[in-house]
């Protein structure tokens, strides 16, 4: 569910850069040209967390609340039926990001009928607890790329890390995520299925070959996200 989808989720991640330029005023009575200061260093724009996304989560309660989520997110290799793409891996993800994603599905900022139906019944505390459970132990950034970062993916690393581990908890880690899910997520940002202005602006300029390179790069990284194991109930037949 978190990330997510009973048949989706979720999912990819938010990036962009902002720049500022300051001008100094005149200190004398005689007018003179203002002294232009050098442009500020470009830094990733920080998204605004969803209300309630910063609540402390109880993973034990989250396991109980999220039993229906495991019907999709607890099965290795499970796919969304139509269109067909892999349901995202959630274990190792940042709980803050999973909570923000669930808020997006609940509030309509992310378009997915099953996920909206699931999330619409959840309170802010439910979301925090579910996110804590599915995240498990979040991946820790190593800070270095395992090899050469493809040019198409270079801008992504400013938020999602060269090793695919997000630089801040509000961003999703992408290391080891399903390649077809990453392609789908970028496509949704392009087409408005996910309403994030930063990601929409970035994704708008990407061509299909660029998207394929980005998804292929991040999906190949390790250590990676994984699928939460689904607990199976074993039935035994009484001999009485």
């Amino acid at each position: 569910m978190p990330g997510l989808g009973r048949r989706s989720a979720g999912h990819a991640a938010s990036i962009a850069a902002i720049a500022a330029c300051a001008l100094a005023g005149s200190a004398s009575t005689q007018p003179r040209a203002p002294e232009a200061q050098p442009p500020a260093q470009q830094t990733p724009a920080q998204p605004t967390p969803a209300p309630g996304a910063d609540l402390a989560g109880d993973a034990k309660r989250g396991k109980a609340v999220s039993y229906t989520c495991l019907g999709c997110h607890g099965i290795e290799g499970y796919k969304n039926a139509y269109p067909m793409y892999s349901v995202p891996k959630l274990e190792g993800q940042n709980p803050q990001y999973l909570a923000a994603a669930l808020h997006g599905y609940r509030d309509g900022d992310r378009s997915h009928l099953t996920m909206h139906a699931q999330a619409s019944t959840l309170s802010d505390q439910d979301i925090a607890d579910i996110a804590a459970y599915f995240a498990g132990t979040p991946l820790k950034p190593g800070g270095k790329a395992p090899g050469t970062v493809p040019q198409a993916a270079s801008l992504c690393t400013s938020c999602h890390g060269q090793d695919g581990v997000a630089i801040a908890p509000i961003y999703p880690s992408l290391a080891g995520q399903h390649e077809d899910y990453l392609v789908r997520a970028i496509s949704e940002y392009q087409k408005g299925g996910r309403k994030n202005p930063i990601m929409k602006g970035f994704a708008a300029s990407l061509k299909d070959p660029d998207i394929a390179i980005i998804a292929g790069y991040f999906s190949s990284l390790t250590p990676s996200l994984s699928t939460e194991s689904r607990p199976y109930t074993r039935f035994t037949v009484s001999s009485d």
Side-chain angles (χ1 to χ4, degrees):
M1 195 152 155
L4 321 156
R6 199 183 159 207
R7 293 194 179 176
S8 155
H11 41 33
S14 298
I15 56 178
I18 54 174
C21 182
L23 294 178
S26 172
S28 68
T29 57
Q30 298 298 320
R32 64 179 183 179
E35 298 177 3
Q37 299 298 314
Q41 183 178 2
Q42 292 185 336
T43 56
Q46 297 296 318
T48 302
D54 58 349
L55 288 174
D58 181 343
K60 184 176 180 180
R61 180 176 181 273
K63 182 176 182 179
V65 174
S66 66
Y67 65 95
T68 59
C69 308
L70 291 169
C72 292
H73 292 284
I75 302 176
E76 186 69 41
Y78 193 77
K79 292 183 179 292
N80 187 78
Y82 182 81
M84 185 172 286
Y85 57 90
S86 299
V87 170
K89 303 175 184 179
L90 304 180
E91 187 171 2
Q93 192 59 270
N94 290 310
Q96 292 93 327
Y97 167 72
L98 293 180
L102 269 177
H103 278 280
Y105 286 116
R106 188 183 70 178
D107 301 339
D109 288 337
R110 290 192 177 199
S111 178
H112 191 283
L113 291 177
T114 302
M115 281 303 302
H116 175 68
Q118 292 283 329
S120 63
T121 65
L122 301 175
S123 68
D124 288 352
Q125 189 62 60
D126 292 336
I127 288 176
D129 295 344
I130 290 172
Y133 167 61
F134 273 100
T137 302
L139 298 178
K140 295 186 181 301
K144 295 182 179 180
T148 302
V149 179
Q151 183 176 359
S154 60
L155 181 57
C156 307
T157 62
S158 63
C159 291
H160 301 289
Q162 290 189 344
D163 55 357
V165 180
I167 65 168
I170 195 61
Y171 300 127
S173 290
L174 305 181
Q177 185 59 271
H178 295 297
E179 185 172 356
D180 60 340
Y181 172 75
L182 293 177
V183 171
R184 175 66 186 182
I186 294 173
S187 175
E188 288 185 357
Y189 284 118
Q190 287 182 323
K191 298 175 181 179
R194 299 190 182 193
K195 297 176 176 61
N196 182 302
I198 297 174
M199 277 302 299
K200 180 177 177 62
F202 166 73
S205 64
L206 296 176
K207 306 300 182 184
D208 287 348
D210 299 323
I211 295 173
I213 289 172
I214 292 170
Y217 172 70
F218 284 108
S219 66
S220 68
L221 299 177
T222 56
S224 71
L225 302 170
S226 58
T227 299
E228 178 68 36
S229 298
R230 178 181 182 180
Y232 289 91
T233 302
R234 296 182 180 275
F235 296 96
T236 57
V237 178
S238 173
S239 58
D240 294 340

